[in-house]
Amino acid sequence: MTEQRPRLSAMPEKPALDGLETVWAARWEADGTYRFDRSRSRDEVYSIDTPPPTVSGSLHVGHVFSYTHTDTVARFQRMRGREVFYPMGWDDNGLPTERRVQNHFGVRCDPSMPYDPSFEPPGKPDPKRQVPISRRNFIELCERLTAEDEKAFEELWRRLGLSVDWSMTYATIDAGSRAASQRAFLRNLARGEAYVSEAPTLWDVTFRTAVAQAELEDREWPGAFHRIGFDLSQAQRDQGFGDRVWIETTRPELIPACVALVAHPDDERYRPLFGTTVHTPIFGVEVPVVGHHLAEPGKGSGIAMICTFGDITDVTWWRELDLPTRPVIGWDGRLLPESPHGVAAEPYKELAGKTVHSARERVVEMLRESGHLDGEPRKIQRPVKFYEKGDRPLEIVTTRQWYVRNGGRDAGLRRDLLDRGRELTWHPPHMRVRYDNWVEGLAGDWLISRQRFFGVPIPVWYPLDSGGEPIYEAPITPPESALPVDPSSDVPPGFTADMRGKPLGFVADPDVMDTWATSSLTPQIAGGWERDDDLFRRVFPMDLRPQAHEIIRTWLFSTVVRSHLEHGGLPWKHAAISGWILDPDRKKMSKSKGNVVTPMGLLEEYGSDAVRYWAAGGRPGTDTAFDTGQIKIGRRLAIKILNASKFVLGFESTGSADVSEPVDLSMLAALRAVVAEATEAFEAYDYARALERTERFFWEFCDDYLELVKARAYTGDASAVAALRRALDVLLRLFAPFLPFVTEEVWSWWRPGSVHRASWPSADGVGSAGDPAVLEAVAEVLRMVRRAKSEARVSMRAEVSRLVVSGHRADLVRHAQDDLCAAGNVEEFVLDAAGADSADVPLTAVTTLSSRLSD
């Protein structure tokens, strides 16, 4: 770290909050206040796996909320003497960036287009008429826009006061991240943990990409049940089964994809049909009737179509019953132009090329015409699978994809990953349940390939046979020393560029990795894995992963998977889980809902310390409502710190004078307890409790103690001045993790260096000789005196001719009698010892106001 230069600032005549962020952000950068000192050993380092925000637009107040939590922990650990490794990353690859680029520039990626080195996007983008451009041109625009967004993000984070080492910033698409991501993949592949498979895949037809289980969400979607008859054979009719067997389905357009009918094995209605066949309506395809335990006798008519593929259950039935495949849905969401095997072309041509919706309407018309539709469709709302960033229901198509083993199909690995969850210390502890539930509910391995453009390429080529067909079972991989590579432009070992796409040549794997496949390596990327061994030894495994609870299943789990497979252990020791920010209607703030609040205006209007104060009040794992009222309270607190500090520092220092007066010692004893509680809270990652306890003491300190001792302080009393200054010193350090700007400003008036490099206060260093009950009792009586004056509607400076104190703890008031009389302008003080030793007799004060009013 850059050595701190001693410097003191002149205490202003009228302290103000405005402008502190600009002054101190620049000073911290110039002085290297938060620069990581890599000479420290691992046991002296506290390392944080900072969430890289998605660079696809603007940050919102939810980001400010959670990142403030992390920053308070970072600042506390730094003041505790740990060297804090706190880098910032930018998550800039994947669909969010692609969508933003498409909308911002009015373009779309078309890999068939040639690269145009002079291409410039339209001056007036038209989102309805996007210009097709090459993949390379598209990636260049992605890099251009993310660079602009990253500057804006960094500006806001600096304004917020994040104590990040900005010299260690990374991006998930930069060369180091691409190399780390590809290296991890190649090692997964070498160990058999990564594999390629052609299988039914959840598919987003808008983005034309595969979707992983962790990216799914259920949404209510309108539909309709159609009661459809399948024709029985003459033999079945002769046995009394009637002319048809009736099924109910919401997807009649998949009738040409039907490969069987299924009912529960114990369903007496359909057991006689098991082992026989029926004919599909319209298309007349013969399909078997089978039994399976997943069929639901109480749903619809109790018998259902198995189609390839309508939903996840279809995939299970198809796999376990070893059924044929008749795919009809293409990657674009339209019905394929050619009829599937075994389906007559004549009726199918009515559907070829149609969207799912149009095909459904036409099939219903055909069913109605043929008499296979019983009644009219019955409208319903039902949960349907969506890609979390998509707008249309997912389809299931057969594709060739890359997977990484994650315990979904390996009971042993699943147990190991559950054990890892138990090894991790969770804040709050109950969040581990979400991790366990996710791991136990996995239905398959982690699908990591995506059919997109702006991402880390799969580092694989395939040799071509003499007919120019890829030999997928013999992938060609690069040496780790060559990483990162882009197979679409780089040449594999042993080949030349002119052999691309030619028989006996090679072809690149066209896919990129899921963004989580790279983000799951943020501890390795930030820590310099295989790039900076010295740094990696000092920071890994990291101490803290802070993140939101909704991405436990994605980011946290995937990071545990990669670390377990590569390093045989956890990537960090602690996971601090933040809640959501809720809007006034108690709904989660999100860009997709359009109910977010952008933070820069708040920071400018109220000041960063005020916004941080509101954010720090949200406990780990707890959803918090956005509340400008709390932000205003935070601003008042920051202003009070300025004014109270100016008051305290206005008394000339008495050097090393001892604190001797009972009420001064009592205040320090109370502060000692606050330090102990705040420290304990921070050690448990409960920053909110640390702030709450510190703030409560501070207001009592200002309202009661300052009023009690200011008369002595004005006379230069050494005990009072020493106690005031010692308390201010401690309070500034207690507030520093939460209100970094105002505490640094005040610190600069009388202390060298930065408060953020000062040591966290220790309880032993505050003082233990006093009795906290003294200040409590005296402050309680002072409040009674104020209340009496308020009720009498006289000035707080009005003279009290006689004050009689009695009841429990009354004798404690004697220790600060002079301070009490000075603060309350009391002429005669009387202590009534009756009941002083009985807890049943409350402390009381009888106030006799003088007929004379004080000036």
Side-chain angles (χ1 to χ4, degrees), residues 422-681:
R422 286 186 279 271
E423 292 172 25
L424 184 61
T425 302
W426 296 79
H427 307 281
H430 70 263
M431 284 294 172
R432 199 194 90 199
V433 173
R434 299 192 180 206
Y435 175 91
D436 290 347
N437 289 344
W438 174 252
V439 178
E440 291 168 350
L442 287 169
D445 286 329
W446 178 14
L447 189 158
I448 67 161
S449 50
R450 295 292 183 274
Q451 292 65 52
R452 299 304 303 172
F453 315 110
F454 191 52
V456 178
I458 302 284
V460 167
W461 300 267
Y462 305 100
L464 300 177
D465 61 19
S466 58
E469 293 299 319
I471 307 174
Y472 290 120
E473 60 271 20
I476 306 166
T477 58
E480 288 189 5
S481 59
L483 302 177
V485 299
D486 184 351
S488 67
S489 56
D490 295 328
V491 177
F495 292 83
T496 57
D498 60 353
M499 300 174 70
R500 185 183 297 274
K502 296 180 179 179
L504 302 180
F506 68 92
V507 66
D509 191 302
D511 294 343
V512 299
M513 293 189 211
D514 165 25
T515 183
W516 293 115
T518 301
S519 297
S520 62
L521 297 165
T522 51
Q524 291 87 343
I525 291 169
W529 173 55
E530 301 287 355
R531 187 183 77 249
D532 187 337
D533 292 341
D534 176 74
L535 176 63
F536 196 66
R537 284 194 300 270
R538 297 177 195 277
V539 303
F540 188 89
M542 294 192 172
D543 293 275
L544 177 65
R545 154 61 68 84
Q547 66 163 74
H549 55 69
E550 76 269 22
I551 53 173
I552 288 174
R553 74 188 195 282
T554 48
W555 192 35
L556 189 146
F557 173 64
S558 63
T559 311
V560 171
V561 170
R562 302 306 283 277
S563 184
H564 174 79
L565 296 177
E566 181 63 34
H567 307 287
L570 282 171
W572 358 259
K573 301 170 186 175
H574 298 265
I577 309 300
S578 60
W580 284 338
I581 288 299
L582 307 178
D583 67 13
D585 294 327
R586 308 297 295 180
K587 295 178 181 178
K588 178 197 173 188
M589 281 193 180
S590 69
K591 292 180 182 178
S592 61
K593 293 179 180 178
N595 63 345
V596 300
V597 175
T598 54
M600 187 57 83
L602 295 171
L603 299 177
E604 292 172 346
E605 181 177 0
Y606 299 107
S608 298
D609 283 339
V611 176
R612 288 174 63 102
Y613 167 86
W614 159 76
R619 281 186 163 76
T622 303
D623 295 344
T624 301
F626 174 67
D627 185 0
T628 55
Q630 285 297 307
I631 295 175
K632 292 175 182 177
I633 291 173
R635 182 170 177 83
R636 286 199 295 271
L637 173 63
I639 292 171
K640 188 67 174 180
I641 290 173
L642 282 179
N643 294 333
S645 300
K646 186 175 188 299
F647 175 78
V648 170
L649 296 177
F651 301 114
E652 187 173 347
S653 173
T654 55
S656 58
D658 291 334
V659 177
S660 55
E661 290 297 317
V663 74
D664 301 334
L665 291 170
S666 177
M667 181 273 294
L668 292 178
L671 181 56
R672 171 190 171 91
V674 172
V675 170
E677 288 182 47
T679 304
E680 180 183 5

Side-chain angles (χ1 to χ4, degrees), residues 740-755:
F741 294 104
V742 70
T743 52
E744 186 77 298
E745 172 69 10
V746 174
W747 192 264
S748 74
W749 297 345
W750 67 314
R751 293 280 194 250
S754 170
V755 67

Side-chain angles (χ1 to χ4, degrees), residues 16 61 71 77 179 201 215 275 333 374 388 399 415 443 459 533 576 607 611 636 647 685 702 781-782 810 820 826:
V61 75
D71 192 58
Q77 292 290 344
T201 307
E215 299 169 308
D374 182 17
E388 60 187 2
T399 61
R415 285 193 299 271
D533 292 341
V611 176
R636 286 199 295 271
F647 175 78
Y685 292 82
C702 293
V781 173
L782 180 58
L820 175 61
V826 176

Side-chain angles (χ1 to χ4, degrees), residues 140-288:
E140 288 176 351
L141 291 181
C142 290
E143 292 171 341
R144 181 196 301 186
L145 192 57
T146 53
E148 295 175 7
D149 288 341
E150 286 163 11
K151 291 178 182 178
F153 280 29
E154 181 176 333
E155 179 185 354
L156 189 142
W157 285 148
R158 287 181 182 271
R159 178 68 180 250
L160 184 65
L162 296 191
S163 57
V164 163
D165 182 348
W166 290 104
S167 69
M168 308 192 84
T169 303
Y170 68 91
T172 57
I173 201 65
D174 65 24
S177 296
R178 294 199 309 273
S181 185
Q182 291 182 334
R183 182 187 308 116
F185 171 83
L186 291 175
R187 293 188 182 184
N188 291 142
L189 182 61
R191 292 190 296 260
E193 297 151 0
Y195 63 93
V196 70
S197 177
E198 187 163 339
T201 307
L202 286 162
W203 188 263
D204 188 287
V205 299
T206 301
F207 299 114
R208 300 193 188 183
T209 185
V211 176
Q213 182 182 352
E215 299 169 308
L216 303 182
E217 64 181 35
D218 284 337
R219 300 181 197 168
E220 288 296 313
W221 193 253
F225 270 125
H226 303 75
R227 183 173 169 83
I228 300 170
F230 279 63
D231 293 325
L232 298 179
S233 66
Q234 188 60 51
Q236 291 166 324
R237 296 174 189 174
D238 293 342
Q239 294 177 40
F241 291 125
D243 293 339
R244 292 176 180 143
V245 60
W246 296 89
I247 64 104
E248 291 190 17
T249 180
T250 60
R251 303 209 60 181
E253 73 278 7
L254 293 183
I255 291 174
C258 180
V259 292
L261 294 188
V262 62
H264 194 278
D266 298 331
D267 194 329
E268 295 293 342
R269 294 172 295 175
Y270 302 109
R271 183 182 289 177
L273 290 176
F274 295 156
T276 68
T277 61
V278 297
H279 288 81
T280 62
I282 304 172
F283 303 96
V285 177
E286 189 176 8
V287 297

